[in-house]
Amino acid sequence: MRILIADDHAMIRNALAFLINAQPDMEVVADAADGHEVFMTVESNEIDVVLIDISMPPGENGLLTTKRLKESFPDVKVIVLTMHDERSYVREALEAQADGFLLKTANDETLIETIRAVFQGERYYDGYTEQALSEIALEKEDPLYGSLSKREKEILPLVALGYNNKQIAERLFISVKTVEVHKANVRKKLQLESYASLLQYSLRHHLIDF
């Protein structure tokens, strides 16, 4: 199977690649340091499984990237790797349709078993039974955020990070005018008038990291 590793720390990417490449049925074909790079790599390469860290500052949160990936490439399996085991992160991983959720404290054997299980179509969330996951899944996401379109969800973290209209347009391959329209829609739908409130919203909902 062809695997992409996404983490903002090169040492972690290298360590994971060393372990995974030692397996006869696995190969790390790419790595990435941020969410945008992950999406672009999957878009232009044949990837079976993505291992993605939740926190990859400064930039788009790994959970948001996961959601974008699953919406655009539903057959690609995504395993979230994290140090955070809070219920809110598990809920967000479920909402993003992540196939796996694994703590970075897991041992090597568990990681390899999780990759194989997810590749074969199973769902694995470290320490959570299917009943527990069903209960967590019932918890609703912010209805205001849910009203945003796919493109608006892509633009929101970029605006929060301080990208200007031209930079966003170049990054997403759209026109500056289109960016302006989407930004206006985001502020209207989220009922946020200032940049500061938009930044606070993005941080509170784990959309970006610093």
Side-chain angles (χ1 to χ4, degrees), residues 49-169:
V49 179
V50 174
L51 301 180
I52 187 167
D53 187 17
I54 283 183
S55 179
M56 293 187 290
E60 182 177 271
N61 183 278
L63 290 170
L64 184 55
T65 303
T66 296
K67 189 167 187 174
R68 291 177 56 203
L69 285 174
K70 297 302 291 186
E71 288 175 347
S72 299
F73 313 101
D75 292 334
V76 174
K77 307 299 183 182
V78 182
I79 299 172
V80 172
L81 297 177
T82 180
M83 293 299 296
H84 307 289
D85 62 352
E86 290 91 341
R87 188 181 182 91
S88 62
Y89 285 102
V90 176
R91 184 180 67 252
E92 290 177 40
L94 287 170
E95 291 172 351
Q97 300 182 55
D99 302 282
F101 185 95
L102 189 64
L103 295 178
K104 287 186 175 181
T105 53
N107 59 41
D108 293 352
E109 182 179 352
T110 298
L111 172 62
I112 297 302
E113 290 177 350
T114 300
I115 294 174
R116 290 199 176 107
V118 165
F119 178 68
Q120 294 170 2
E122 299 177 30
R123 183 170 71 171
Y124 180 84
Y125 276 61
D126 194 12
Y128 289 86
T129 64
E130 282 299 317
Q131 180 178 350
L133 292 177
S134 296
E135 293 173 356
I136 293 173
L138 291 176
E139 300 172 12
K140 301 293 185 180
E141 71 169 327
D142 177 8
L144 294 180
Y145 180 76
S147 70
L148 298 181
S149 69
K150 177 182 174 182
R151 182 64 81 184
E152 289 162 359
K153 289 177 181 177
E154 292 176 347
I155 286 177
L156 171 56
L158 298 178
V159 175
L161 286 167
Y163 286 83
N164 62 38
N165 291 349
K166 182 179 179 181
Q167 290 172 321
I168 295 173

Side-chain angles (χ1 to χ4, degrees), residues 4-9 12-13 16 30-35 38 50-56 65 81 104:
L4 183 156
I5 299 173
D7 194 289
D8 58 315
H9 293 97
I12 293 179
R13 296 198 304 271
L16 289 173
D31 63 18
D34 62 62
V38 171
V50 174
L51 301 180
I52 187 167
D53 187 17
I54 283 183
S55 179
M56 293 187 290
T65 303
L81 297 177
K104 287 186 175 181

Side-chain angles (χ1 to χ4, degrees), residues 11-56:
M11 289 182 62
I12 293 179
R13 296 198 304 271
N14 293 337
L16 289 173
F18 181 80
L19 171 64
I20 292 170
N21 285 330
Q23 311 306 311
D25 56 340
M26 300 180 188
E27 179 187 7
V28 176
V29 297
D31 63 18
D34 62 62
H36 179 69
E37 189 179 355
V38 171
F39 195 88
M40 297 297 289
T41 302
V42 172
E43 191 172 43
S44 57
N45 294 272
E46 183 179 340
I47 304 293
D48 298 310
V49 179
V50 174
L51 301 180
I52 187 167
D53 187 17
I54 283 183
S55 179
M56 293 187 290

